[in-house]
Amino acid sequence: MLHQSNRREFVRNIVSTGSAIALSALSYSRVQGANDRFRIASIGTGGKGWSDLTGVAASPSVEVAALCNIDHSAEHLGRAAETYPSAKRMTDWRKLLDDSNDIDAVIVSTPDFMHAPIALAAMHLRKHVFCQKPLTHTVFEARQMNLAARSFGLVTQMGNQIQSHTAYRTAVKAVHDGVIGQVIEVHSWQGGSPSWPRHIDRPVGADPVPDHVDWDLWQGVADRRPYKKDLYHAFSWRGWQAYGTGQLGDFGCHILDPVFKSLELTAPTQLVAEAPPIKAETWTDRATIRYRFPGTTRTAGSTIDVTWYDAVGARPPRERLSHIPSDYELPNAGSVLVGEKGSLVIPHVAMPRLFLGDSGTGNGSDSPLTIVDGVDHYVQWADACRGVDQTTSSFDYSGPLTETVLLGTVAIRMPGETLQWDSDSMRISNAPAAEAYLSKSYRDGWEPTWV
Ligand SMILES: NC(=O)C1=CN([C@@H]2O[C@H](COP(=O)(O)OP(=O)(O)OC[C@H]3O[C@@H](n4cnc5c(N)ncnc54)[C@H](OP(=O)(O)O)[C@@H]3O)[C@@H](O)[C@H]2O)C=CC1
Ligand SMILES: O=C1CO[C@H](CO)[C@@H](O)[C@@H]1O
């Protein structure tokens, strides 16, 4: 808990540095009330939502005031309700927000396609937001989330919690310390085998909806379709374009995160996908995305190429990985940053390995690296909501990261076409057909509230 004097000092500091400009009157008053209990609502309490909820609730200043899930079974709403018996219980997030005067902040841990509709509605009500990754389902939604957070002066955090792990923090520091010199190119990959449907057509027929699930509410902003057991609901939605973002969307915001953070990337200027022609409704089972970004103070050239590979067993081409001996076994997923002095392997999720010089001395050691301790990604947000320090994955940062990842999902739908991206105008100037995939339509009556 922040002591009164620290709180005053904090307020004085933000005023004197001018950063109070970004805070709305409402957030400012919340900063002043930093010692108060902080009341949160959790939307999506099973799956990842359970660890989001318990992670945030680990902060002694947090009170769990409301729980929402379309599924009232024991391991979903049931378990949360048992753990936080005084919290209100709801199945419909719209009703929760309608009755949310006593709530300061919202955790959104639903499937991807519902992040923005729920989070934007919450932000319009001036709730601080913790939202799972990828931040949104479309590029346009990601831009809106960033705008909303900024316009309303809210404290936000995306749920890419690995960013706060010692492994990723150590990797970012190594690049910032110049351990591998200026960075020349980056290769990132996910070689795992997803357990959700990929590259298939929609099956016919319908299965009975389980009693504990509100299937209509689950479908939220998406068009209605019959329930099919284990195909959409609970985890498998990742493979469907209507609900998820495929392997790139699922892992890009984790694996590309230390690349973004360390190189201080913002938006690519062009990208192209190598992928098989996509099926009408599911995501691909393999893709390579070649992104080009403007160079930064961390890069060797005026542009830098970042290549993403996903497929079962995918790895970057060894000949591109300077400094790394050919007998070094690359991790199943991660990144290699190739620098002027050496290369850094950032496994997903393990400590980075450093290879220096032409001969690859360092042999993958982490000893020359300065180890940075991890921090608590969840409590960091709860603290920041009360004016204590700041989040590291606020929508200012995670919005552009998500836009980049989701631009890849646009490119996957138009393999072989180099897309020229103008981030300021949000235009793909050379491929108007691709622009249709930057946003999407919503079920009548369920359109999000835009900024
Ligand atoms: N940061 C990380 O490491 C991880 C992040 N994630 C992210 O977390 C999010 C959730 O994924 P996951 O937990 O696997 O997905 P689930 O399908 O398990 O859904 C999460 C929970 O939300 C419930 N739910 C679904 N829709 C709604 C709704 N409209 N309102 C309220 N509750 C709802 C689900 O009920 P039911 O189960 O009945 O559908 C479930 O309890 C995704 O965005 C995913 O990308 C996931 C795993 C790890
Ligand atoms: O973020 C994530 C981390 O791991 C999961 C799989 O194990 C993913 O599906 C998930 O969305």
Side-chain angles (χ1 to χ4, degrees):
M1 181 122 354
L2 189 71
H3 296 300
Q4 191 70 27
S5 56
N6 289 348
R7 211 177 66 211
R8 285 213 193 94
E9 203 170 274
F10 171 80
V11 171
R12 209 172 37 240
N13 284 345
I14 57 172
V15 171
S16 67
T17 58
S19 41
I21 293 162
L23 292 175
S24 67
L26 189 64
S27 338
Y28 187 80
S29 70
R30 282 188 187 146
V31 168
Q32 288 190 306
N35 283 341
D36 298 342
R37 294 281 285 172
F38 182 69
R39 292 170 62 81
I40 60 153
S42 158
I43 302 177
T45 53
K48 184 68 182 88
W50 176 246
S51 59
D52 293 343
L53 170 60
T54 51
V56 170
S59 162
S61 49
V62 161
E63 181 180 333
V64 179
L67 303 164
C68 174
N69 202 315
I70 54 86
D71 182 337
H72 61 261
S73 63
E75 70 274 26
H76 291 173
L77 194 56
R79 176 173 54 171
E82 207 172 287
T83 310
Y84 305 103
S86 61
K88 280 186 284 196
R89 299 164 205 185
M90 330 276 273
T91 49
D92 188 335
W93 59 272
R94 296 166 303 175
K95 292 190 181 137
L96 182 147
L97 291 179
D98 281 348
D99 180 23
S100 63
N101 283 344
D102 58 343
I103 286 167
D104 299 300
V106 173
I107 302 172
V108 180
S109 312
T110 59
D112 303 353
F113 72 108
M114 291 304 295
H115 291 176
I118 298 173
L120 283 168
M123 287 195 282
H124 276 277
L125 293 170
R126 309 301 193 266
K127 314 295 177 198
H128 303 300
V129 172
F130 181 103
C131 182
Q132 260 311 324
K133 43 58 47 184
L135 194 56
T136 60
H137 197 214
T138 71
V139 174
F140 181 74
E141 288 179 342
R143 187 65 63 96
Q144 284 286 315
M145 293 273 265
N146 190 359
L147 272 177
R150 256 198 235 175
S151 309
F152 305 136
L154 298 167
V155 178
T156 55
Q157 179 93 308
M158 185 168 78
N160 51 329
Q161 76 285 358
I162 300 159
Q163 180 185 92
S164 295
H165 191 280
T166 179
Y168 276 10
R169 282 163 61 86
T170 297
V172 170
K173 178 159 175 56
V175 177
H176 288 180
D177 285 350
V179 172
I180 54 170
Q182 301 297 103
V183 177
I184 299 166
E185 64 186 54
V186 178
H187 300 269
S188 299
W189 68 99
Q190 171 49 283
S193 176
S195 57
W196 55 84
R198 287 167 295 145
H199 211 57
I200 61 167
D201 294 313
R202 192 201 291 207
V204 292
D207 294 327
V209 180
D211 287 346
H212 52 87
V213 171
D214 188 324
W215 177 232
D216 190 68
L217 267 184
W218 188 92
Q219 293 177 90
V221 301
D223 287 339
R224 281 3 188 196
R225 69 174 70 183
Y227 182 86
K228 286 290 287 178
K229 188 172 178 321
D230 296 334
L231 206 58
Y232 314 118
H233 163 258
F235 202 86
S236 297
W237 49 261
R238 285 167 171 76
W240 296 89
Q241 292 169 33
Y243 309 132
T245 45
Q247 185 77 317
L248 170 60
D250 201 38
F251 281 97
C253 286
H254 287 311
I255 294 170
L256 292 172
D257 173 38
V259 176
F260 246 68
K261 242 327 172 219
S262 62
L263 299 184
E264 293 157 357
L265 300 179
T266 48
T269 50
Q270 70 171 54
L271 68 160
V272 59
E274 291 158 22
I278 197 165
K279 295 269 189 188
E281 294 199 46
T282 42
W283 290 108
T284 177
D285 59 357
R286 59 189 184 281
T288 297
I289 318 287
R290 301 184 187 283
Y291 293 100
R292 177 157 296 165
F293 292 87
T296 70
T297 56
R298 313 289 180 187
T299 65
S302 58
T303 61
I304 181 153
D305 290 347
V306 176
T307 309
W308 166 270
Y309 313 81
D310 73 67
V312 176
R315 299 289 184 276
R318 294 301 295 224
E319 65 275 13
R320 302 293 319 174
L321 309 183
S322 311
H323 318 110
I324 299 183
S326 54
D327 59 352
Y328 172 78
E329 194 179 334
L330 291 168
N332 204 30
S335 297
V336 173
L337 276 63
V338 179
E340 287 177 330
K341 294 197 289 189
S343 285
L344 190 69
V345 180
I346 310 177
H348 173 76
V349 179
M351 289 309 274
R353 314 303 288 180
L354 179 63
F355 297 88
L356 292 174
D358 289 342
S359 57
T361 48
N363 292 327
S365 164
D366 62 6
S367 55
L369 299 177
T370 305
I371 306 296
V372 183
D373 286 342
V375 293
D376 189 319
H377 200 70
Y378 306 94
V379 171
Q380 183 188 70
W381 172 68
D383 284 348
C385 288
R386 296 180 309 113
V388 182
D389 294 334
Q390 292 179 337
T391 53
T392 52
S393 198
S394 66
F395 297 174
D396 257 358
Y397 168 81
S398 52
L401 169 60
T402 298
E403 284 189 22
T404 298
V405 167
L406 296 182
L407 280 168
T409 68
V410 172
I412 281 172
R413 298 190 241 211
M414 312 192 69
E417 275 201 56
T418 299
L419 307 180
Q420 307 290 346
W421 172 239
D422 179 345
S423 175
D424 289 343
S425 64
M426 296 193 78
R427 300 296 310 263
I428 302 175
S429 47
N430 67 324
E435 290 185 337
Y437 299 120
L438 296 173
S439 57
K440 65 178 186 182
S441 57
Y442 298 84
R443 186 186 176 205
D444 280 350
W446 287 75
E447 292 84 3
T449 319
W450 305 120
V451 182

